[in-house]
Amino acid sequence: PGYNNNVGHDVSDVYDEVHVAGAVLRANATLLMLSRNSDIDAAVRTVKVLEDRFNRNYRYPWVFLNDQPFTEDFKRRVSILTSGPVYFEKILDEHWYHPKWINETLAQEGRRKMEEDGVIYGGSVSYRNMCRFNSGFFYRQPLLQNYKYYWRVEPGAHFHCDANFDPFAFMQENNKVYGFTITLYEIERTIESLWSTVSNFITEHPEFVSPNSAMDFISDDEGESYNLCHFWSNFEIADMDFWRGPAYTAFFDYLESSGGFYYERWGDAPVHSIAAALFGGTDRIHFFREIGYEHFPATHCPTEEELWRLGRCTCDPTHSFDYEGESCLWRWGSLIGQ
Ligand code: GDP
Ligand code: MN
């Protein structure tokens, strides 16, 4: 069940080198947006800018997911903007709500304390559902089974530059599993027991750790502790087969069974980042420096004159988040020798 506007082909046609109304789809990929119905105004602005800056030349499909059924109004307003097929799906309840064995007393106590401490979304159940869904379930949705790569797009995010290339094709040609634009520090209070859980997992499963692991990006003491650096997951271009693979599957199950998504407030950003760093490894992660990207309150703007000019970027290249004190990009740079 999807809106097949204009191009008249089915999602199963969206595959390597398929020509769609003049556009060439080179990778098996989709744009992906998780949204509430109430996010509609922000959603359409973001879809429009990404279509204009990138997708009108490629016509990749869009998949929209929601824990509630999308309204007709949401579907109508989105569908006039997209250049490729567009699909809307309600998330399966068991992928959204907490598992039955979660101790609600403990979870409630955790929320109360975190809210008291003034942690953003500290008292929110729906935010925790969302983080757990983005960590371990989105790539299991029926509609996404057809795809390997996705570009995660959030309502309200802004794209500042023309993409004069296909990031999905780049991922495929270079065997990348994870692409980012912004990296920063996590709020420690939300993930107090995450690193000890990760450490126990890799002690039990050393076979999953890449020989080329990016441990030095996420730890300053060879794995003793987490330095809180993570890729900001409101932007992600990544390979779902990596999440579906044995390492991440075992990793997610291990994290899930600890209850930390609910007893604490583990974000999908540190969870994805730690997995990409340890199991994917340095050479399978890519910094998309030419993609000007804004999600409040941070903007990554290409600082290289040539990239900024060719991208016709609307961001200020002298004010990229890359060089802010809260950015972890310098660690990434030193890891890859730049
Ligand atoms: P932040 O970026 O960490 O401040 O979190 P957001 O509020 O932007 O949420 C992240 C993403 O999840 C966005 O795409 C939201 O639209 C989506 N989202 C958050 N909570 C819910 C929810 O309860 N239901 C649905 N359908 N989407 C949600
Ligand atoms: Mn957001």
Side-chain angles (χ1 to χ4, degrees), residues 34-36 39 66-67 96 121 126-127 130 154-155 295:
L34 173 68
S35 181
R36 291 162 287 222
D39 294 324
N66 187 352
D67 60 307
W96 187 261
Y121 307 119
S126 69
Y127 194 82
M130 180 276 287
E154 279 198 5
H295 175 294

Side-chain angles (χ1 to χ4, degrees), residues 262-310:
Y262 289 97
Y263 301 140
E264 296 181 6
R265 205 216 70 194
W266 294 353
D268 50 284
V271 169
H272 280 182
S273 302
I274 290 167
L278 298 184
F279 315 135
T282 307
D283 52 11
R284 303 196 73 191
I285 300 173
H286 183 67
F287 171 43
F288 279 109
R289 62 175 67 247
E290 59 282 89
I291 299 182
Y293 177 71
E294 178 170 356
H295 175 294
F296 183 81
T299 301
H300 160 71
C301 193
T303 46
E304 301 78 0
E305 173 78 18
E306 187 75 355
L307 292 179
W308 180 76
R309 185 185 300 276
L310 286 175

Side-chain angles (χ1 to χ4, degrees), residues 156-305:
H158 192 71
F159 295 90
H160 277 284
C161 310
D162 289 345
N164 299 309
F165 73 111
D166 180 350
F168 294 127
F170 177 89
M171 297 289 287
Q172 184 166 290
E173 280 155 22
N174 295 282
N175 195 28
K176 301 289 183 187
V177 294
Y178 196 89
F180 70 96
T181 51
I182 290 174
T183 169
L184 74 181
Y185 299 93
E186 181 56 296
I187 304 163
E188 184 154 30
R189 184 69 178 76
T190 64
I191 51 153
E192 278 170 356
S193 72
L194 176 59
W195 191 253
S196 61
T197 313
V198 170
S199 297
N200 291 340
F201 178 79
I202 58 181
T203 304
E204 279 179 38
H205 289 288
E207 74 277 15
F208 289 140
V209 179
S210 162
N212 186 31
S213 105
M215 179 64 98
D216 292 345
F217 177 66
I218 54 175
S219 175
D220 297 345
D221 46 22
E222 288 164 5
E224 197 56 33
S225 66
Y226 180 34
N227 64 18
L228 308 175
C229 285
H230 64 286
F231 307 118
W232 219 19
S233 61
N234 46 67
F235 174 103
E236 285 184 329
I237 297 177
D239 178 355
M240 286 186 277
D241 290 341
F242 177 67
W243 309 131
R244 292 165 182 147
Y248 190 78
T249 300
F251 180 65
F252 177 77
D253 288 349
Y254 196 88
L255 298 188
E256 166 88 317
S257 67
S258 79
F261 289 105
Y262 289 97
Y263 301 140
E264 296 181 6
R265 205 216 70 194
W266 294 353
D268 50 284
V271 169
H272 280 182
S273 302
I274 290 167
L278 298 184
F279 315 135
T282 307
D283 52 11
R284 303 196 73 191
I285 300 173
H286 183 67
F287 171 43
F288 279 109
R289 62 175 67 247
E290 59 282 89
I291 299 182
Y293 177 71
E294 178 170 356
H295 175 294
F296 183 81
T299 301
H300 160 71
C301 193
T303 46
E304 301 78 0
E305 173 78 18

Side-chain angles (χ1 to χ4, degrees), residues 134-153:
N134 278 326
S135 297
F137 294 97
F138 77 91
Y139 53 84
R140 305 187 208 197
Q141 296 307 293
L143 260 181
L144 290 176
Q145 298 315 302
N146 297 308
Y147 305 109
K148 178 174 170 67
Y149 299 100
Y150 67 100
W151 182 335
R152 176 171 160 187
V153 182

Side-chain angles (χ1 to χ4, degrees), residues 33 39-49 74 77-78 81:
M33 182 179 278
D39 294 324
I40 181 64
D41 290 331
V44 292
R45 279 196 294 270
T46 298
V47 169
K48 177 71 167 82
V49 74
F74 190 102
R77 289 181 60 188
V78 164
L81 303 172

